[in-house]
Amino acid sequence: MSKKADIEAKILDTAYKLFLNQGYKNTTMDDIAQALSMSKKTLYKYFPGKMELLAASFEIIKSRLSVKVQTIVENQYISYTAKLKSMLMVVAEDLAHINPELLEDLREHAPSIWKELQEYIRESAYLRFQKLIQEGVDKGFVSPKVNVTLAVLMYASAIQNLIDPKFLSQFPAEMKNKLELNTAEIYDQVVQVIYHGILTDEAKEEFKQF
């Protein structure tokens, strides 16, 4: 890695952590420069603004997750249930830190980034999960009675809504307070509820072992 690339990676890592801790709105270029022990003038040499830093940070996350998920889907040497569990863990690990507060901040102050993130989640659900579920049907791990498209739509709809602050705001406070789940736990339980229900009895027993 070149010196320039190394510095850019360090800037992105620092900025992303500040966005997570303080929110996008409350994080300034001064904050980022100070955390890096760098002058703001130097920071601007690498990134023209806060929006560009946020966009670049999310691109790294999306690219990294895409590679991991695709590798799992195409792996011919692990069982189907192991694939399902591995994908669940990878998604949870990479998206766990994107909390609802930051998502709400993005919707209001960085709508273009919010839209790209939503589109990525939809694409990931439709393309990768559909391929994995169809593989389960073909190999006898998923009941052939299950409509694959419907299963994917259920997953996509649940994930999008449960991490969407606007959707959650429709419900009474006493319901939202009882949710008490971070993003990783939401992904975990959604997949457990939806996909454990579509597996055959034999696959369910194997799924429990991972």
Side-chain angles (χ1 to χ4, degrees):
M1 183 182 288
S2 68
K3 183 178 180 180
K4 181 175 183 294
D6 187 54
I7 294 174
E8 288 178 346
K10 186 176 180 180
I11 291 172
L12 287 172
D13 182 62
T14 300
Y16 183 62
K17 288 176 180 176
L18 285 172
F19 291 143
L20 290 177
N21 293 329
Q22 301 178 182
Y24 175 75
K25 178 184 177 182
N26 295 324
T27 299
T28 66
M29 292 295 275
D30 283 314
D31 294 332
I32 298 168
Q34 185 176 357
L36 289 160
S37 298
M38 174 187 293
S39 70
K40 192 162 68 170
K41 182 178 180 180
T42 301
L43 178 58
Y44 276 115
K45 287 182 180 179
Y46 291 94
F47 293 94
K50 190 170 67 168
M51 181 70 74
E52 287 75 15
L53 272 169
L54 182 69
S57 297
F58 273 103
E59 280 304 313
I60 290 175
I61 294 169
K62 290 188 293 184
S63 297
R64 183 173 59 202
L65 183 57
S66 292
V67 170
K68 288 180 180 179
V69 169
Q70 193 64 26
T71 299
I72 292 169
V73 170
E74 296 178 352
N75 192 327
Q76 301 177 6
Y77 303 101
I78 60 176
S79 69
Y80 177 77
T81 47
K83 282 187 182 183
L84 193 62
K85 197 71 172 183
S86 296
M87 184 176 290
L88 167 62
M89 292 173 63
V90 164
V91 170
E93 288 171 359
D94 278 50
L95 300 181
H97 301 297
I98 307 177
N99 56 65
E101 290 76 16
L102 178 59
L103 292 174
E104 189 168 11
D105 207 9
L106 294 182
R107 178 196 287 278
E108 183 176 354
H109 302 287
S112 61
I113 306 299
W114 166 260
K115 183 179 179 181
E116 289 176 9
L117 181 60
Q118 291 293 86
E119 289 176 351
Y120 171 76
I121 293 172
R122 284 195 294 268
E123 179 182 339
S124 179
Y126 279 109
L127 299 180
R128 293 181 175 87
F129 271 88
Q130 181 166 287
K131 185 174 182 179
L132 186 59
I133 297 171
Q134 187 59 56
E135 178 184 337
V137 173
D138 296 340
K139 293 183 176 179
F141 292 104
V142 173
S143 170
K145 297 179 181 180
V146 171
N147 184 296
V148 174
T149 299
L150 178 60
V152 174
L153 289 173
M154 288 170 64
Y155 165 81
S157 177
I159 292 298
Q160 286 178 246
N161 285 323
L162 289 173
I163 63 171
D164 183 347
K166 187 175 182 180
F167 174 79
L168 294 176
S169 68
Q170 303 175 63
F171 295 91
E174 54 266 32
M175 287 183 65
K176 290 186 289 184
N177 293 338
K178 289 181 179 179
L179 185 60
E180 296 180 340
L181 298 173
N182 60 37
T183 307
E185 291 167 334
I186 288 174
Y187 272 79
D188 179 72
Q189 293 205 17
V190 166
V191 174
Q192 291 280 352
V193 170
I194 294 177
Y195 292 99
H196 194 271
I198 69 173
L199 298 176
T200 60
D201 291 340
E202 182 180 353
K204 285 179 184 178
E205 290 303 315
E206 185 177 345
F207 188 88
K208 294 175 183 177
Q209 298 173 18
F210 290 97

